[in-house]
Amino acid sequence: MRAACLSALLLGTAADPPGVQIIFEGVRMDRYPVRGRDVAAVRAALDAARVRDEQDGTMVEAYTHGRIHWTWTAPARHNAPCHPEAITIRYSATTRLPYLAEPDPLPELAQAWRLYALNLERHETQHLERIRRALPRLAEAIAAAPCTGADAAGAVVLDEIRADGRAYDAETEHGRREGAVFPPPRTTERRQDD
């Protein structure tokens, strides 16, 4: 999926809560080449290119790391409770994905790669979408807290966002349960005749 498509997804259509500005600064795509003339060679190249996921330590072929920063101002009212105003949340991400760097792959390899790459990109895009959907909740937590506890309230929601990403990866086995497996499993129908 191209970064422009990811940007459109993350910008969403919902309005920011009052007094809040959520700014999506983009996705940096970190694509790395995978070479091999057959399925076994590509599988070996993917295995060699794996990196450790910083959230749970699993060796992975792709990841999405979001970066969230916020600022707010304190009202200039004296003798009144202080609650954050003019909250700005900035969000950006890096997504690491492989690409098949073979100029003319065999049809079986090309088909297997297309299915794998599609499912892997969908999984990583879902990480981005889950973070995007949580940002209004982050803003609400900051806005509801007194000024002295606003950043701590934001940190609690940030920890929840990270936990949600870990839970999503555990639930999907880092996308494998969503079809992000190379080579894709073959489905064979078997009939039993009595």
Side-chain angles (χ1 to χ4, degrees), residues 31-98:
R31 294 206 175 255
Y32 65 94
V34 174
R35 292 178 177 80
R37 291 298 300 157
D38 59 35
V39 168
V42 170
R43 179 68 261 163
L46 282 168
D47 289 342
R50 286 181 164 192
V51 295
R52 191 165 308 282
D53 183 288
E54 65 184 36
Q55 293 294 316
D56 67 7
T58 302
M59 297 300 289
V60 295
E61 296 153 16
Y63 62 75
T64 295
H65 292 183
R67 288 172 298 286
I68 301 169
H69 304 285
W70 61 84
T71 59
W72 51 270
T73 59
R77 294 184 291 267
H78 298 289
N79 298 327
C82 178
H83 287 279
E85 294 179 347
I87 299 165
T88 300
I89 297 174
R90 295 182 180 277
Y91 169 57
S92 62
T94 299
T95 296
R96 179 181 192 260
L97 291 168

Side-chain angles (χ1 to χ4, degrees), residues 11-32:
L11 290 174
T13 57
D16 296 337
V20 173
Q21 185 176 20
I22 297 175
I23 301 169
F24 175 60
E25 297 177 329
V27 176
R28 184 175 74 84
M29 299 301 287
D30 179 12
R31 294 206 175 255
Y32 65 94

